[in-house]
């Protein structure tokens, strides 16, 4: 039996005295229990050193010079700077002043975890409690040929889930490739095999935006997703186990290359149009840049040509909500309880960015779900119950690992020339390694295990860019002009030369770029940046439309809801 060391009573008395002194000082009262004199200070130091000799360094003698301490991995705060917020002792017993709060929202999460854990332990197979991530029946294309990915990984084979509407003409020239947003499946419209309404149900059909009397529409679930296409929840054919976080890092361009493998399989040489919104708008632009000879027209709605810090930050917080869920288990949760709590929070964060404040003011205002009841710390206001419901619906219908991988691909998106050249160089080097057989079947873990930098990021007094501008001023440059250029670039009227060069390959393509003034996730200036970059690259066939707040208060989700403005404009452009 292990012996338990007891704290000397003298040390406990000294600690109590220190705590009382700290509270007295915080309250502005004279220190009665602990006199500030040399004898008491020395006595206290001796008592503390008895329990832990290393603490004597924290209290040097009066007038002595404090030595510069080494920086250990974890350094505790000096005792004199600690806050004794929990040092009060109970004064009396009896009934509490107020009843304990109830948290039905937390109870519900704990109940779900218990249910999922019970299901996991009671199953006889190894599939675990994870739901079947599917939106219904799809067609599936299986590629047996490996594909090299932009950041060095590879898929030795992969599946693409897809659905189609309308008839393909004889020369296969009437095909439209519809790209999805982050969490959407290939089910954009109802089919005979799956009659449930799709996510773009009112935009696809006879006489609609994507007119099935004229066009053959194909929509896929992206690689990395979980609705039938190969992703982290899929089985790695090399060892028969789920990929989980052994799945390689993806880019938007990787997703598009896989889609064009499907087009090759279907015998489609040239697309009538590449169409997409949000992440789909990124894919649509990437399709034109990667395969300019195979795409005739491009539609990009509420998207960008390079991800910007705000949207990267929002997706980072969503991923962190999942990664910090104890059930995430570094991605290996498929045989146990999935990280449904983190997933729910991630969806709630995302939902905030999908709509606009003015719309929520109209829909919810400051109304509470039940004003006859006292306020609660669980969902109480109508807007809170809306977010809670959005997270509840989503947390077990989409694979958390897919959200992590696909959202990271969005962050990495950049159609600038420099990024294209760097990626092409990296792919060429890896392709040579593949041919020579020197490329390992699994990635070098040391090359993809990121850590925080040794020197943390620190803002300068006047902002991070101020110091650089000052250095350039000393070199004889004119920082005022650069400040003006930075300000105009932020509004999209003066895109960077790197992006202009990267989009130059599209100068002969008709391109429709649409944005929404109420969109906070992909602000309208980002679509202006795309349109202006294309114009500066020599494109004379750019059409740019920006819906005002009077036309739509739906924010980023406008592309899902506005059949008249979005659907009508797309229909006219494709004709």
């Amino acid at each position: 039996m292990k012996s338990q060391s007891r704290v000397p009573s003298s040390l406990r008395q000294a600690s109590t005295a220190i705590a009382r002194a700290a509270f007295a000082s915080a309250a502005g009262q004279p220190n009665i229990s602990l006199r500030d004199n040399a004898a008491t200070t020395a006595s206290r130091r001796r008592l503390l050193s008895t329990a832990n000799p290393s603490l004597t360094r924290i209290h040097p003698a009066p007038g002595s010079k404090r030595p510069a301490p080494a920086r250990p991995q974890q350094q505790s705060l000096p005792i004199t700077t600690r806050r004794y917020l929990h040092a009060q002792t109970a004064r009396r017993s009896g009934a509490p002043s107020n009843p304990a709060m109830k948290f039905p929202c937390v109870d519900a999460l704990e109940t779900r975890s218990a249910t999922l854990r019970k299901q996991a332990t009671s199953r006889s197979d190894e599939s675990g409690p994870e739901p079947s991530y599917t939106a219904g029946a799809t067609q599936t294309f299986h590629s047996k040929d490996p594909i090299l990915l932009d950041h060095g990984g590879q898929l030795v084979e992969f599946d693409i889930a897809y659905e189609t509407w309308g008839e393909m003409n004889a020369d296969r020239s009437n095909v439209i490739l519809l790209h999805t947003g982050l969490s959407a499946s290939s089910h954009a419209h109802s089919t005979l095999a799956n009659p449930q309404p799709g996510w773009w149900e009112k935009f696809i059909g006879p006489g609609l935006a994507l007119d099935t009397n004229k066009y053959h529409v194909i929509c896929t679930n992206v690689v990395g997703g979980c609705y039938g296409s190969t992703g982290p929840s899929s089985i790695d054919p090399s060892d028969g186990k789920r990929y989980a976080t052994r799945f390689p890092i993806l880019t938007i361009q990787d997703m598009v290359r896989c889609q064009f493998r499907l087009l090759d399989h279907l015998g489609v040489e040239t697309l009538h149009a590449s169409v997409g919104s949000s992440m789909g708008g990124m894919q649509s632009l990437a399709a034109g840049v990667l395969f300019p000879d195979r795409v005739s027209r491009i539609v990009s709605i509420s998207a960008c040509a390079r991800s910007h810090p705000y949207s990267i930050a929002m997706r980072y917080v969503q991923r962190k909500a999942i990664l910090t869920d104890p059930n995430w288990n570094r991605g290996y949760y498929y045989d146990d309880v999935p990280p449904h709590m983190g997933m729910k929070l991630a969806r709630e964060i995302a939902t905030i960015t999908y709509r606009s404040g003015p719309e929520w003011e109209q829909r919810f205002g400051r109304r509470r779900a039940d004003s006859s009841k006292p306020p609660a710390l669980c969902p109480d206001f109508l807007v809170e119950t809306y977010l809670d419901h959005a997270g509840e619906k989503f947390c077990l219908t989409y694979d958390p690992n897919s959200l992590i991988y696909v959202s990271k691909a969005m962050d990495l998106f950049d159609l600038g020339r420099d990024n294209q050249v760097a990626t092409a160089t990296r792919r060429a080097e890896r392709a040579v390694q593949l041919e020579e057989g020197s490329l390992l079947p699994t990635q070098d873990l040391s090359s993809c295990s990121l850590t925080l930098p040794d020197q943390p990021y620190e803002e300068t007094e006047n902002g991070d860019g101020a110091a650089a501008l000052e250095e350039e001023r000393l070199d004889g440059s004119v920082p005022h002009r650069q400040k003006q250029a930075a300000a105009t670039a932020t509004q999209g009227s003066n895109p960077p030369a790197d992006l202009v060069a990267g989009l130059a390959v599209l100068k002969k393509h008709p391109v429709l770029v649409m944005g929404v003034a109420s969109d906070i996730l992909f602000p309208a200036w980002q679509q202006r940046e795309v349109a202006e970059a294309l114009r500066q690259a020599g494109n004379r066939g750019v059409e740019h439309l920006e819906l005002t707040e009077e036309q739509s208060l739906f924010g980023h989700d406008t592309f899902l809801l506005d059949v008249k403005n979005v659907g009508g404009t797309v229909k006219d452009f494709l004709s």
Side-chain angles (χ1 to χ4, degrees):
M1 182 175 181
K2 296 182 179 179
S3 60
Q4 295 180 349
S5 59
R6 296 185 177 180
V7 179
S9 60
S10 55
L11 181 56
R12 289 200 304 270
Q13 292 170 1
S15 299
T16 303
I18 295 170
R20 290 174 178 170
F23 274 108
S25 174
Q29 299 175 357
N31 186 350
I32 299 174
S33 302
L34 186 62
R35 303 288 184 184
D36 188 11
N37 54 60
T40 304
T41 301
S43 175
R44 181 179 59 191
R45 191 181 301 116
R46 285 195 300 273
L47 289 170
L48 292 173
S49 65
T50 301
N52 188 353
S54 65
L55 293 177
T56 56
R57 297 197 305 270
I58 300 174
H59 303 281
S64 64
K65 185 176 180 181
R66 182 188 297 271
R71 294 186 63 184
Q73 189 68 23
Q74 290 184 343
Q75 185 175 4
S76 60
L77 291 172
I79 287 179
T80 53
T81 62
R82 293 180 183 172
R83 300 181 66 190
Y84 292 85
L85 300 179
H86 309 287
Q88 286 181 306
T89 56
R91 297 182 178 179
R92 63 178 68 182
S93 61
S97 302
N98 298 287
M101 277 279 190
K102 294 183 178 180
F103 296 91
C105 53
V106 178
D107 295 339
L109 292 174
E110 293 175 348
T111 299
R112 176 184 284 128
S113 289
T115 301
L116 292 170
R117 184 165 286 108
K118 183 177 180 181
Q119 291 175 354
T121 56
S122 63
R123 294 175 72 101
S124 58
D125 57 28
E126 298 180 353
S127 61
E130 277 289 280
S132 175
Y133 298 115
T134 178
T138 67
Q139 300 180 67
T140 303
F141 161 65
H142 179 73
S143 175
K144 295 181 179 179
D145 297 325
I147 188 165
L148 180 64
L149 306 179
D150 279 345
H151 285 281
Q154 62 173 326
L155 296 174
V156 294
E157 56 185 70
F158 63 90
D159 290 335
I160 291 286
Y162 70 101
E163 297 176 53
T164 64
W165 304 269
E167 296 296 326
M168 191 184 299
N169 60 15
D171 61 359
R172 297 179 172 85
S173 62
N174 68 333
V175 177
I176 292 177
L177 180 59
L178 175 62
H179 307 274
T180 72
L182 186 154
S183 59
S185 70
S186 61
H187 193 60
H189 189 273
S190 54
T191 63
L192 291 176
N194 184 3
Q196 294 297 319
W199 56 267
W200 237 30
E201 187 76 18
K202 296 182 179 179
F203 293 77
I204 302 172
L208 301 181
L210 304 187
D211 190 346
T212 51
N213 286 335
K214 299 169 62 176
Y215 308 117
H216 178 68
V217 182
I218 302 173
C219 183
T220 81
N221 177 223
V222 298
V223 164
C226 56
Y227 292 120
S229 294
T230 297
S233 60
S234 302
I235 301 297
D236 182 350
S238 299
D239 64 2
K241 298 179 181 179
R242 295 191 194 244
Y243 282 104
T245 46
R246 296 179 302 152
F247 199 77
I249 293 292
L250 285 169
T251 66
I252 297 295
Q253 290 87 335
D254 290 329
M255 299 173 185
V256 171
R257 289 188 187 93
C258 292
Q259 291 172 328
F260 272 72
R261 288 276 188 94
L262 167 64
L263 296 180
D264 293 340
H265 169 72
L266 297 175
V268 177
E269 181 62 30
T270 304
L271 291 172
H272 177 75
S274 174
V275 178
S277 307
S278 189
M279 186 184 83
M282 295 176 168
Q283 295 174 71
S284 189
L285 288 169
V289 171
L290 287 173
F291 303 98
D293 297 332
R294 299 185 63 179
V295 179
S296 299
R297 296 170 181 80
I298 297 170
V299 176
S300 180
I301 307 169
S302 297
C304 62
R306 54 184 181 129
S307 284
H308 294 269
Y310 173 78
S311 59
I312 293 174
M314 295 305 298
R315 289 188 289 267
Y316 159 75
V317 176
Q318 294 170 47
R319 289 194 297 271
K320 192 159 188 176
I322 297 171
L323 268 61
T324 54
D325 186 317
N327 292 323
W328 182 61
N329 193 31
R330 288 170 169 76
Y332 294 90
Y333 51 79
Y334 293 108
D335 297 331
D336 206 336
V337 179
H340 61 94
M341 292 181 286
M343 192 64 170
K344 179 176 180 178
L345 178 57
R347 185 62 171 187
E348 291 175 355
I349 295 169
T351 303
I352 293 172
T353 69
Y354 293 158
R355 296 300 181 94
S356 75
E359 186 215 354
W360 284 4
E361 185 69 35
Q362 287 186 4
R363 290 177 64 188
F364 307 117
R366 289 184 44 80
R367 296 191 302 278
R368 294 174 54 216
D370 189 347
S371 59
S372 65
K373 295 181 179 179
L377 298 181
C378 281
D380 184 18
F381 285 92
L382 284 181
V383 68
E384 293 177 316
T385 62
Y386 171 76
L387 292 174
D388 183 74
H389 179 64
E392 194 73 23
K393 287 196 308 179
F394 187 74
C395 67
L396 287 177
T397 59
Y398 192 79
D399 182 27
N401 280 338
S402 282
L403 190 147
I404 292 170
Y405 275 88
V406 176
S407 68
K408 188 64 179 182
M410 294 178 71
D411 292 352
L412 295 169
F413 186 61
D414 180 4
L415 289 179
R417 179 64 178 168
D418 289 347
N419 185 58
Q420 291 186 46
V421 170
T423 301
T425 302
R426 184 169 57 248
R427 289 179 61 85
E429 292 173 351
R430 300 292 276 184
V432 171
Q433 291 175 331
L434 270 176
E435 273 189 36
E436 296 176 346
S438 59
L439 181 63
L440 296 176
T442 55
Q443 290 180 319
D444 178 8
L445 296 180
S446 64
S447 67
C448 60
S449 299
L450 300 181
T451 57
L452 293 176
D454 294 333
Q455 186 66 30
Y457 171 81
E458 293 182 3
E459 289 190 9
T460 58
E461 183 177 352
N462 297 320
D464 190 52
L469 288 174
E470 179 63 16
E471 289 180 5
E472 292 171 355
R473 185 188 67 80
L474 295 174
D475 291 337
S477 59
V478 184
H480 177 66
R481 293 179 183 174
Q482 293 179 355
K483 288 180 180 179
Q484 284 184 324
T488 54
T490 300
Q491 297 305 314
S493 58
N494 190 18
D498 176 57
L499 186 61
V500 174
L503 295 179
V505 69
L506 300 180
K507 63 182 179 181
K508 294 183 179 180
H509 291 69
V511 181
L512 171 63
V513 181
M514 294 185 65
V516 183
S518 58
D519 190 344
I520 63 173
L521 182 58
F522 288 83
W525 67 263
Q526 295 184 8
Q527 291 84 57
R528 291 199 295 270
E529 178 182 72
V530 175
E532 185 58 28
L534 288 166
R535 292 189 181 108
Q536 291 188 23
N539 192 315
R540 297 293 177 263
V542 179
E543 294 185 27
H544 175 230
L545 175 65
E546 183 176 313
L547 301 181
T548 65
E549 289 192 358
E550 288 74 20
Q551 290 174 301
S552 177
L553 287 179
F554 296 132
H556 187 63
D557 274 356
T558 294
F559 74 88
L560 294 170
L561 304 169
D562 194 333
V563 177
K564 177 183 177 182
N565 291 308
V566 174
T569 303
V570 170
K571 180 181 179 181
D572 293 342
F573 176 78
L574 295 176
S575 299

